Amino acid sequence: MARDSITVTTTVRAGVLPTLNTPVAANDAQVANATGRVVVVFVNGMGAVSAQATAVTIQQVADPYGRIQNDAAFTVPINVVGMFGPFSPLLYNQTDGTVQIDYDAVSPNARVFALQLSGG
């Protein structure tokens, strides 16, 4: 099954309203990461009681220098916001330039978004 793509919003000094995506555990997700300045935010609650904590795993690719792979994994508790990244393309980008994100389970009211950090 194809992964869901998380919409990336580029930050600006005046502020942004990112596009909220609904995560689906059965599909998992991916996010474009051409610059290595992308962060992913997982909101486990959205103003309502979330049914469960969610383990979010950011897959790491084989290190060209032979270091052992170490996926970034973190459990986001109920009604908490978890932030991941930025991701070095060398260590996290798949061949298509995306970072792959896996969820163990997702509450219906969880949301995820991605921000591309602008320079300066």
Side-chain angles (χ1 to χ4, degrees):
M1 179 175 286
R3 289 177 175 269
D4 293 335
S5 290
I6 298 172
T7 304
V8 178
T9 303
T10 300
T11 62
V12 295
R13 190 176 315 262
V16 295
L17 297 173
T19 301
L20 298 178
N21 298 260
T22 302
V24 178
N27 298 349
D28 292 318
Q30 64 185 11
V31 63
N33 184 47
T35 65
R37 297 177 57 90
V38 171
V39 295
V40 173
V41 180
F42 187 90
V43 183
N44 198 8
M46 293 301 296
V49 176
S50 189
Q52 61 200 9
T54 299
V56 178
T57 302
I58 312 298
Q59 293 186 11
Q60 191 172 20
V61 298
D63 185 304
Y65 302 107
R67 289 179 287 230
I68 296 173
Q69 179 175 335
N70 185 17
D71 293 337
F74 187 75
T75 297
V76 181
I78 297 168
N79 291 323
V80 172
V81 176
M83 183 178 291
F84 306 84
F87 308 105
S88 166
L90 181 67
L91 300 176
Y92 291 95
N93 280 17
Q94 303 295 318
T95 56
D96 65 357
T98 63
V99 172
Q100 293 185 346
I101 303 163
D102 298 336
Y103 312 112
D104 69 336
V106 177
S107 298
N109 57 342
R111 297 295 180 267
V112 64
F113 62 93
L115 297 173
Q116 163 120 1
L117 304 174
S118 61

